[in-house]
């Protein structure tokens, strides 16, 4: 006699009876993975509790957002180093000719600082550079597109966000024209940041001979879930000699054409000289990760008459240490007189927050500039979240009032200034691939000082009284933002 057919309720019961134990086992196994790979002990503990108690909810979140190491990139970088040793040696020998040895510093303190920064970067400070600030979108893209239009041999271009709008099409046309002239053009865009970029945009470039690579996370099916790891770098290098790096992506909003975020305040950096090759080396590593091949790029160098010293610091989740956060912490620790920081997002971790507090307690003039205008509701309360922690020790917080400020700049005394892609938050410190150009040059520091003084003139001091004057729900939301700091 046949058994009665299973009812829908029976099938649902059977499915839950089978799936729930399986999900629980996967939750425990993922908890073990969290113990081995989570970024911090606190994060590890939080994931373990959540994965064991609520695996059905937290399993997909963990595999999308929880892991910090970019294993595929780590393997690719090591393979890159093994497979192109000769070419790396050629580039390294070329860079070594321009190295600034720490021992050449005028005092042991400076020598120690230079040594620390260089060891963090794994590249030396390089002399023979020309560094020029590019303030806001028009100057930046006039310079970038002008350089691409004048390219003779190679163009490498890498952006986190590329839109198919007026600026995006101007950028595309410059790449197409360069390729038509016989220039070898390489283009990398991030698959998360540029998720809305139409396929036809990329197809047009490829059909014209531009080599295109989407940086989309770890290769293989698992990479589809790794949206937490993003290549946030913005690098353009022309003929191996002229480079651009900073905060601006390719989109009309970066020209101030988005009425909801206008005017747009940002900073980019034009680099000529050996540091341009260090930026090109960073691009080459990312290219190899995506394509499994070494791009044919020029590695011969020529110095600039300005002879400014600069260090390129590439950072990302593949690093054995948290390079971006340590760069900020080292820079702040080196300060004797002032630390001025401009960033759209001020969400420091414990290491960097402690460095800021310590500097202020030493009597250093510590100023943090953030925008009052926000580009996401999640960041509305960020300026207030850490205000009580920093103001009572003397850190001054300013809100930029003239539109949305997106620059990532730090100035330390008259000694160091940095422009790059890294925000002052956990995502840039631990999750994103970033790049920063750190200058050790008094003249460049004076240029950055003048720029930031103009920004401060358009800013309002934020005090703890401003927070206490807010409603209780607002203050609660501000303090609760600290709980979201690891994922902001």
């Amino acid at each position: 006699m046949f058994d009665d057919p299973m009812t829908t309720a029976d099938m649902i019961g059977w499915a839950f009876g089978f799936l729930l134990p399986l999900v629980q086992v996967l939750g425990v196994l993922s908890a073990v993975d969290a113990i081995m790979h989570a970024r911090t002990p606190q994060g590890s503990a939080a994931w373990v509790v959540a994965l064991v108690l609520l695996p059905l909810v937290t399993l997909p979140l963990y595999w999308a957002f929880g892991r910090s190491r970019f294993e595929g990139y780590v393997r690719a970088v090591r393979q890159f180093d093994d497979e192109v040793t000769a070419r790396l040696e050629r580039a390294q020998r070329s860079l070594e000719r321009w190295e600034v040895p720490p021992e050449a510093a005028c005092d042991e303190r400076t020598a120690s600082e230079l040594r620390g920064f260089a060891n963090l970067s794994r590249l030396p400070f390089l002399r023979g550079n020309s560094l020029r600030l590019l303030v806001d979108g028009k100057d930046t893209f006039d310079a970038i597109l002008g350089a691409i239009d004048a390219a003779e041999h190679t163009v490498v271009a890498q952006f986190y966000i590329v839109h198919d709008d007026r600026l995006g099409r101007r950028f595309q046309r410059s790449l197409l024209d360069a390729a038509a002239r016989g220039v070898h053009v390489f283009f990398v865009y991030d698959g998360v940041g540029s998720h809305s970029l139409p396929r036809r945009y990329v197809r047009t470039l490829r059909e014209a001979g531009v080599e295109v690579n989407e940086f989309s996370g770890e290769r293989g099916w698992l990479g589809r879930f790794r949206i937490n790891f993003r290549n946030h770098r913005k690098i353009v290098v022309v003929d191996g000699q002229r480079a651009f790096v900073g905060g601006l992506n390719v989109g009309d909003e970066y020209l101030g054409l988005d009425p909801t975020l206008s005017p747009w305040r940002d900073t980019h950096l034009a680099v000529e000289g050996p540091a341009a090759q260090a930026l090109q080396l960073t691009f080459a590593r990312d290219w190899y990760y995506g394509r499994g091949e070494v791009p044919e790029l020029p590695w011969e160098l020529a110095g600039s008459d300005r002879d400014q010293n600069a260090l390129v610091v590439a950072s990302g989740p593949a690093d054995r240490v948290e390079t971006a956060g340590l760069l900020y912490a080292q820079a702040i620790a080196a300060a004797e007189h002032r630390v001025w920081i401009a960033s759209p997002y001020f969400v420091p971790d414990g290491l960097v927050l402690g460095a800021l507090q310590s500097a202020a307690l030493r009597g250093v003039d510590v100023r943090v500039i953030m925008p009052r205008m926000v580009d996401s509701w999640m960041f509305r309360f960020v300026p207030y979240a850490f205000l009580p922690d920093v103001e009572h020790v003397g850190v001054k917080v300013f809100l930029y009032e003239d539109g949305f400020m997106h620059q990532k700049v730090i100035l330390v005394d008259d000694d160091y200034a940095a422009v790059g892609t890294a925000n002052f938050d956990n995502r840039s410190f631990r999750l994103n691939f970033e790049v920063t150009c750190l200058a050790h040059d008094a003249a460049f520091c004076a240029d950055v000082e003048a720029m930031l003084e103009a920004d401060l003139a358009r800013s309002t001091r934020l005090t703890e009284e401003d927070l206490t004057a807010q409603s209780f729900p607002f203050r609660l939301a501000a303090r609760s933002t600290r709980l979201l700091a690891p994922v902001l």
Side-chain angles (χ1 to χ4, degrees), residues 95-96 98-127 309-311 330 416 440:
L95 290 175
E96 286 173 356
W98 303 92
E99 180 177 354
V100 180
E103 295 74 19
C106 59
D107 60 84
E108 182 53 37
R109 176 187 174 93
T110 303
S112 177
E113 291 166 359
L114 295 177
R115 193 177 300 113
F117 288 128
N119 287 338
L120 185 64
S121 170
R122 302 179 300 281
L123 287 173
F125 269 95
L126 301 169
R127 61 181 175 82
N309 298 335
L311 174 73
Q330 284 196 49
Y416 303 102
H440 178 51

Side-chain angles (χ1 to χ4, degrees), residues 441-462:
D441 182 84
F444 183 71
C445 288
D447 293 340
V448 173
E449 177 185 27
M451 180 183 71
L452 293 182
E453 282 182 337
D455 293 330
L456 286 165
R458 296 180 175 88
S459 302
T460 302
R461 175 85 181 272
L462 183 66

Side-chain angles (χ1 to χ4, degrees), residues 23-24 27-32 46-56 58:
V23 168
Q24 189 66 56
V28 172
L29 292 175
S30 297
V32 173
W47 279 118
V48 167
V49 171
L51 287 164
V52 171
L53 296 182
L54 296 169
L56 194 62
T58 54

Side-chain angles (χ1 to χ4, degrees), residues 132 134 137-148 242 244 270:
R132 179 167 62 95
L134 297 170
K138 184 180 185 304
D139 286 350
T140 296
F141 284 102
D142 283 350
I144 289 175
L145 299 179
I148 294 174
R242 304 173 65 187
F244 303 89

Side-chain angles (χ1 to χ4, degrees), residues 130-202:
S130 171
L131 307 174
R132 179 167 62 95
L133 288 171
L134 297 170
V135 178
D136 295 335
K138 184 180 185 304
D139 286 350
T140 296
F141 284 102
D142 283 350
I144 289 175
L145 299 179
I148 294 174
D149 291 342
E152 297 179 354
H153 306 292
T154 59
V155 171
V156 304
Q158 174 176 13
F159 286 95
Y160 174 59
I161 295 173
V162 179
H163 289 315
D164 184 20
D165 53 16
R166 279 184 287 177
L167 179 59
R169 288 187 285 275
R170 281 178 58 199
F171 173 68
Q172 183 191 48
R173 173 47 53 192
S174 287
L175 297 184
L176 292 172
D177 289 346
R181 297 194 308 271
V183 175
H184 204 166
V185 181
F186 302 87
F187 171 49
V188 172
Y189 65 98
D190 183 79
V192 176
S194 301
H195 65 276
S196 63
L197 189 66
R199 291 182 180 179
R200 66 177 182 276
Y201 185 102
V202 175

